[in-house]
Every structure is written in C-alpha cells, then in structure tokens.
C-alpha cells in the first residue's frame, strides 16, 4: 500500500506479510479512509490465512478469529473496518479444507478490491448529476482514491463530473490535525490537474459567506440507520454553515459504509493522541502540559443532509425510512 503518512513529500509503497503489520498501518494511518481501511483489514486477515502454518481447518479458523479480534481494535468509528473483517471471515469459514480456505481468502479480497472501485465509479456518476458546470465543491479531509481502493467517493463525484465535461473547482480545507486535506486531497487533485484551492479550516465560514461554495460533497465513515453521518471532524461545522447559506450538503459513500444495526448514540467517536494537536509534522506548536482533546470524527444529523450519494442511487429524506429501502 501507499504510505499515506509520507505524502505529499514522498511517494512510497510499503509491503506487509503479517496481519499485525496491517493493524499497525491502520492504527498509525499509513492507510486511512473508511473503504481503504475495510479492504486493508480484510487483506490483513487474508495474509494470516494464506501464511498459516496450521494443519486443521478448525485451527486456521481459530487463528483467523484471533487476528480478526486484533484488527477490530485498531480504530472504532469507520464501520467498513468491521464490514471488511466480517466479509472475509464469513467467506473463509465456508471452506471445506485448509487449501480451499487459503484460495477463498485471496479470491475474496480481490473481489472486494474490484467491487470498491466499481462502486466508487458508479456513485461518482450518480453524484455527478448533482454537480453543475462551473460549480465550486467544498470537501473535507480526503475521500479520494487514497481513502478507497481507487477513484474515491467525494472526489469520485468530482472526477465523474469532470469526465462528463463539466468545469469543477474544489475548495480543500487543510483538515487539522492530521492534515488529510492539505497533504492528500491537494496531492490527488494537483496530480490529476483538477482546479483546487487549499484553505485553512477556519476559512470555511468566510468562503460560504462570500458565495464561493456551490455544493458540499464529503465522504463518510459510518452512516447509521437513523441517518446520522459520521465523518472527519469539521464536517458538522460545514453542514451547519451550508444550511445557513443555503448550500446543498451531500455525503457520498458506498453501501459498505452504512450501519443498519446502530443508531447514532451507539457509535464511538475515536479520540486520537494529543501529539496530533500539539505538533505539526513533528514540530511542537503548543506549550508542554496543555490539556488536549482530539476527537477524529463528528456526526452530522439527518436534518442537515440534502441527500446521500451511493452506488445504489440517491437516498433522500426521511433517511430512517429510505436508508433501509436502498441499502438493505
Ligand atoms: O481519519 P481518517 O483519515 O481515516 O478519516 C477519513 C475520513 O473521514 C473520510 O472522509 C472517510 O473515511 C471517507 S473516505 C472515502
């Protein structure tokens, strides 16, 4: 996988052969973004099965479940993590021999890879219909090719609109504290020659006030059955401002990001380390000993969402009714 912690200054691949290494890569955000985390976790589990030295199927299953339990503990908010682990596990558990289990593991992760890119292209083309020629789209964090297996969700909508011949500009908030906007989204858009402007997170309000934003399109880490959208910290702020300024707000996410079992009050928002806030790229910017709170995600209530862009179509309000109709 691409080491996203090294971007944009260095583009390098890292190679893993053991589930523990993949778990560490997820924890430290070498790989991040809900769909990418989901497929990576499944690949981590598959590595454990493929390289297993166990001779009986029962032992292989037990070992796989231990690796699954380890991977589940990496990050709590993105539901794709649990979706990816469950999907791989269920497929392998249908095997009748150790050899069949190893083959099934590889087949399944390759299918998940292909399906992710296909879903992003599909939701991109569905979302592109909402984007008009000349629109400026505000996004948050990185919901692009780097955050998925390929093409991207929110950036997939932008790419698809441009492929349709529309002129689209993107406003990119830096997305403190891990700077996924400045480091990753700007990297993708500059690399693809897509018109983009990097802004500080604190400039979003003024951009709205000045009428510089036509649409907000963001990714999601988990969309609960009651229509709450969990995404990178700062997304809720954008949704409130979008409502204030009459700007449509669209989360874009594949079906694998919908959680049909939980309501918003049952979801854990990840609290990450203080070092992410008191340092920028390893340089201290705050006094020693200052107390820090660093929630990595927030939740946007359904009443602030215009519609949800998925590969299965647009989901419109009331979301607690339409989500199970479209996603189940
Ligand atoms: O902490 P991160 O970088 O994993 O957070 C990622 C996001 O919030 C993305 O917007 C979301 O996962 C969607 S990625 C297509």
């Amino acid at each position: 996988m691409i080491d996203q912690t090294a971007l944009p200054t260095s583009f390098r691949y890292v190679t893993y052969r053991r589930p523990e290494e993949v778990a560490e890569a997820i924890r430290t955000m070498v790989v991040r973004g809900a769909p990418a985390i989901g497929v990576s976790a499944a690949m981590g589990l598959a590595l454990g099965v493929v390289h297993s030295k166990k001779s009986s199927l029962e032992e292989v299953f037990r070992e796989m479940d231990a690796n699954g339990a380890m991977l589940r503990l990496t990050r709590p908010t993105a539901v794709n993590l649990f979706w990816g682990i469950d999907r791989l596990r269920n497929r392998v558990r249908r095997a009748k021999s150790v050899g069949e289990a190893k083959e099934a593991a590889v087949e399944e992760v390759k299918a998940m890879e292909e399906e992710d890119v296909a879903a992003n292209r599909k939701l991109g083309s569905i979302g592109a219909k909402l984007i008009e020629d000349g629109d400026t789209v505000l996004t948050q964090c990185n919901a692009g090719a780097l955050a998925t297996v390929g093409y991207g969700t929110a950036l997939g909508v932008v790419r698809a609109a441009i492929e349709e011949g529309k002129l689209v500009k993107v406003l990119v908030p830096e997305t403190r504290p891990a700077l996924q906007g400045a480091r990753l989204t700007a990297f993708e858009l500059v690399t693809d020659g897509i018109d983009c402007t990097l802004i500080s997170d604190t400039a979003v309000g003024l951009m709205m006030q000045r009428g510089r934003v036509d649409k907000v399109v963001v990714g999601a880490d988990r969309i609960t059955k009651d229509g709450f959208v969990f995404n990178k910290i700062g997304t809720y702020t954008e949704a409130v401002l979008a409502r204030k300024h009459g700007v449509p707000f669209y989360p874009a996410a594949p079906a694998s990001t919908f959680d049909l079992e939980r309501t918003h009050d049952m979801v854990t928002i990840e609290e990450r380390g203080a070092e992410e806030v008191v340092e920028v790229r390893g340089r201290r910017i705050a006094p020693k000993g200052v107390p820090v709170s660093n929630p990595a995600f927030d939740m946007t209530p359904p009443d602030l969402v215009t519609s949800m862009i998925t590969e299965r179509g647009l989901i419109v309000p009331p979301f607690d009714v339409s989500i199970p109709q479209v996603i189940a």
Side-chain angles (χ1 to χ4, degrees):
M1 56 177 80
I2 296 166
D3 180 354
Q4 297 188 46
T5 64
L7 289 172
T9 40
S10 145
F11 187 98
R12 64 173 184 244
Y13 286 94
V14 284
T15 301
Y16 301 125
R17 288 178 179 75
R18 294 183 303 117
E20 305 84 83
E21 296 172 316
V22 176
E24 189 57 16
I26 294 171
R27 242 192 307 276
T28 58
M29 298 214 284
V30 167
V31 61
R32 34 70 43 210
I37 289 172
V39 176
S40 299
M43 287 181 171
L45 213 52
L47 283 173
V49 173
V50 169
H51 295 308
S52 176
K53 299 272 179 294
K54 303 297 182 192
S55 52
S56 78
L57 205 47
E58 262 327 297
E59 286 176 303
V60 170
F61 289 166
R62 254 199 310 280
E63 183 184 53
M64 176 178 67
D65 287 350
N67 288 330
M70 179 257 304
L71 283 157
R72 284 176 203 280
L73 295 174
T74 51
R75 300 185 71 191
T77 311
V79 73
N80 295 67
L81 173 76
F82 310 100
W83 165 86
I85 294 168
D86 291 342
R87 177 164 163 178
L88 197 282
R89 179 181 179 274
N90 295 340
R91 175 67 191 82
V92 170
R93 274 190 165 268
R94 291 206 301 273
K96 297 284 178 284
S97 70
V98 172
E100 197 188 315
K102 291 174 187 270
E103 275 170 32
V106 175
E107 268 169 36
E108 195 65 17
V109 287
K110 291 195 171 172
M112 291 166 79
E113 263 193 298
E114 282 158 27
E115 287 170 26
D116 181 77
V117 178
N120 297 333
R121 287 190 176 281
K122 186 81 190 336
L123 74 81
S125 65
I126 290 168
K129 307 278 172 290
L130 302 168
I131 308 297
E132 283 150 57
D133 190 25
D135 269 356
T136 296
V137 171
L138 172 71
T139 192
Q140 175 65 349
C141 190
N142 171 258
L146 289 165
T148 61
V149 176
Y151 200 68
T153 57
L155 294 190
V157 171
V158 169
R159 288 188 167 108
I162 291 171
E163 285 162 15
E164 285 181 359
K166 293 171 182 166
L167 185 68
V168 182
K169 296 181 180 152
V170 185
L171 271 180
V172 183
E174 59 187 340
T175 315
R176 280 270 301 163
L179 297 171
Q180 291 94 328
R183 296 187 305 108
L184 308 176
T185 297
F187 172 78
E188 285 196 39
L189 298 175
V190 167
T191 304
D192 286 9
I194 295 173
D195 186 335
C196 66
T197 303
L198 179 62
I199 58 172
S200 69
D201 296 329
T202 43
V204 167
L206 182 68
M207 293 297 157
M208 292 266 190
Q209 221 170 30
R210 286 184 173 168
R212 288 274 308 273
V213 181
D214 298 298
K215 311 273 171 11
V216 178
V217 184
V218 295
D221 288 271
R222 186 187 298 243
I223 301 179
T224 50
K225 66 180 182 181
D226 53 352
F228 280 72
V229 178
F230 289 78
N231 194 45
K232 182 50 56 189
I233 194 83
T235 304
Y236 173 56
T237 311
E238 291 187 10
V240 172
L241 285 161
R243 174 54 50 86
K244 163 79 181 159
H245 294 279
V247 173
F249 178 89
Y250 301 114
S256 54
T257 300
F258 285 77
D259 181 349
L260 300 183
E261 283 158 30
R262 289 172 194 78
T263 50
H264 69 281
D265 50 305
M266 302 161 76
V267 178
T268 304
I269 289 184
E270 181 184 10
E271 181 75 20
R272 293 187 64 84
E275 70 287 350
E276 284 190 356
V277 175
V278 299
E279 292 172 6
V280 175
R281 307 302 271 167
R283 182 106 185 257
R284 196 170 181 86
I285 56 157
K288 284 206 165 61
V290 63
V292 170
S293 171
N294 183 19
F297 302 98
D298 59 23
M299 64 178 187
T300 297
D303 64 307
L304 294 179
V305 177
T306 310
S307 55
M308 300 175 180
I309 304 167
T310 81
E311 76 274 28
R312 301 196 185 160
L314 275 187
I315 304 181
V316 295
F319 295 111
D320 54 346
V321 175
S322 51
I323 287 175
Q325 286 169 345
V326 175
I327 298 297

